[in-house]
C-alpha cells in the first residue's frame, strides 16, 4: 500500500508560503470561445495550451504536485459531440505531450473511473504513466471521469476488500482506514485550490482532500490563465492565515 501523508484533520500539517500541492478546476473554455463567436470546442483546444503553460510554470516554481480537473463524472451529460471532441483532445495531448513531460522530469498520473474510456485512451494513459513513473520533479495528476463522491465510495469498497472484518466492526473504520485507498493517496492534501471561469463551487472535485485547502476563485476563463495569473493566486495564498481550527494567536505562535 502506498504511504499516506499527514491528514489536516488528524494534526496540524506543516506548510510553506509556496503551495506544495495545487489543484485546479480549469473552467470557462466554452464561454471563452462563445465570447469570440467560436464553437465551444475551440475553447477546449485553446485550453490545452493553458495546461502546457501552467504545468511548466508550476514545475519552475517548485510546486511538487499539480492536479488538474479535466473531465468530471457529470460531464457525460454534455452533448455527445462535445464529449467526443474532449476525448480526442485528451488522446492527442497524451500522444504529443508525454515526451516533453519526460524531458521536464514530470510524473503523470491519471485518476478517475477510467474503465468508462475507450481502450485506445486507456492504453495511452497506461503507457504515459509507465514512461514517466520514475520522474520526481513534479507529479502532474489529471482527473478524468473523476468525481469526489466516486473516489470516497471506491476507497470505502477497497478498504472493505482489504479488511473484510471491518464490516462486522464498523466502529473501527477511521480516516486512516479509508484515506490510503483514495485515488490520490500518493499526494499530500492540496494546499491551494484554484477555479477559473468565475463560478464559486467545488463541482464534485476532491471532496475529501479539500477539507482545509485554501480556495481561490478567478473570473479569468481557463484559456486566458497564464503564469502571471498563477502568480496572483500564489500571492493570495501566501497572505492567508491557515488556522486549521486554532485561534489566530496560536497560529502565530506555531504556524505549522
Ligand atoms: C471546462 O470548461 C472544461 C470542461 C469542463 C471539460 P467548460 O467547458 O465547462 O466551459 P464553460 O464553463 O462552459 O465556459
Ligand atoms: C467542472 O467544470 C469540471 C471540469 C472543469 C472538468 P463544469 O463546467 O463541469 O462545472 P459546473 O457544471 O459549472 O459545476
Ligand atoms: Mg464549465
Amino acid at each position: 500500500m502506498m504511504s499516506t501523508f499527514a491528514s489536516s484533520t488528524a494534526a496540524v500539517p506543516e506548510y510553506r508560503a509556496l503551495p506544495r500541492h495545487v489543484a485546479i478546476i480549469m473552467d470557462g473554455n466554452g464561454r471563452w470561445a462563445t465570447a469570440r463567436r467560436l464553437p465551444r470546442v475551440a475553447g477546449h483546444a485553446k485550453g490545452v495550451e493553458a495546461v502546457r503553460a501552467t504545468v511548466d510554470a508550476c514545475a519552475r516554481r517548485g510546486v511538487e504536485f499539480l492536479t488538474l480537473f479535466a473531465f468530471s463524472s457529470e460531464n457525460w451529460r454534455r452533448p455527445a459531440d462535445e464529449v467526443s471532441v474532449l476525448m480526442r483532445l485528451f488522446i492527442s495531448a497524451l500522444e504529443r505531450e508525454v515526451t516533453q513531460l519526460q524531458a521536464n522530469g514530470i510524473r503523470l498520473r491519471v485518476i478517475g473511473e477510467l474503465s468508462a474510456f475507450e481502450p485506445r485512451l486507456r492504453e495511452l494513459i497506461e503507457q504515459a504513466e509507465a514512461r514517466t513513473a520514475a520522474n520526481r520533479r513534479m507529479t502532474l495528476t489529471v482527473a478524468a471521469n473523476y468525481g469526489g463522491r466516486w473516489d470516497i465510495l471506491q476507497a470505502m469498497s477497497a478498504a472493505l476488500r482489504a479488511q473484510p472484518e471491518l464490516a462486522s466492526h464498523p466502529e473501527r473504520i477511521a480516516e486512516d482506514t479509508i484515506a490510503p485507498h483514495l485515488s490520490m493517496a500518493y499526494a499530500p492534501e492540496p494546499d491551494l485550490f484554484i477555479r477559473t471561469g468565475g463560478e464559486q463551487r467545488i463541482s464534485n472535485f476532491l471532496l475529501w482532500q479539500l477539507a482545509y485547502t485554501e480556495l481561490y476563485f478567478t473570473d479569468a476563463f481557463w484559456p486566458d490563465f497564464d503564469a502571471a495569473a498563477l502568480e496572483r493566486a500564489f500571492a493570495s495564498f501566501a497572505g492567508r492565515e491557515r488556522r486549521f481550527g486554532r485561534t489566530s494567536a496560536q497560529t502565530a505562535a506555531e504556524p505549522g
Side-chain angles (χ1 to χ4, degrees), residues 25-34 40 43-44 69-72 75 78 82 86 195-197 199 201 221-223:
I25 297 189
M26 311 182 288
D27 197 20
N29 291 352
R31 283 165 286 157
W32 179 92
T34 303
R40 288 178 54 83
H44 298 316
F69 204 3
F71 192 87
S72 76
N75 285 145
R78 294 190 177 197
E82 180 169 341
L86 286 166
R195 182 171 185 145
T196 63
E199 311 297 351
R201 54 178 169 252
F221 293 139
W222 176 250

Side-chain angles (χ1 to χ4, degrees), residues 19-164:
R20 185 176 179 203
H21 181 176
V22 178
I24 307 182
I25 297 189
M26 311 182 288
D27 197 20
N29 291 352
R31 283 165 286 157
W32 179 92
T34 303
R36 284 164 181 72
R37 299 174 187 281
L38 294 168
R40 288 178 54 83
V41 294
H44 298 316
K46 190 73 182 168
V48 177
E49 290 176 33
V51 169
R52 210 176 285 130
T54 303
V55 170
D56 199 55
C58 283
R60 281 175 202 278
R61 284 293 258 116
V63 168
E64 291 171 56
F65 297 89
L66 172 65
T67 303
L68 301 176
F69 204 3
F71 192 87
S72 76
S73 43
E74 291 70 58
N75 285 145
W76 297 107
R77 297 168 181 167
R78 294 190 177 197
D81 55 348
E82 180 169 341
V83 170
S84 141
V85 169
L86 286 166
M87 295 301 148
R88 297 290 120 218
L89 280 171
F90 196 11
I91 288 175
S92 72
L94 283 166
E95 283 169 344
R96 288 183 315 193
E97 311 287 341
V98 177
T99 305
Q100 197 54 41
L101 292 180
Q102 185 63 6
N104 287 337
I106 296 167
R107 171 170 73 141
L108 179 73
R109 298 296 299 261
V110 180
I111 58 165
E113 200 169 7
L114 305 184
S115 59
F117 292 137
E118 56 182 279
R120 170 78 185 139
L121 181 49
R122 270 154 47 200
E123 189 185 303
L124 282 168
I125 290 169
E126 255 175 51
Q127 286 170 359
E129 286 185 332
R131 211 172 136 199
T132 61
N135 294 338
R136 287 292 171 266
R137 185 172 170 217
M138 185 175 85
T139 298
L140 167 65
T141 301
V142 173
N145 193 21
Y146 179 86
R149 290 187 179 178
W150 164 82
D151 200 2
I152 293 168
L153 291 171
Q154 71 76 27
M156 279 293 298
S157 303
L160 280 166
R161 271 196 301 277
Q163 292 171 263

Side-chain angles (χ1 to χ4, degrees), residues 215-237:
L215 307 181
Y216 177 86
F217 299 94
T218 168
D219 288 335
F221 293 139
W222 176 250
D224 291 326
F225 193 81
D226 58 10
L230 183 71
E231 284 308 321
R232 286 192 288 277
F234 286 168
S236 169
F237 175 81

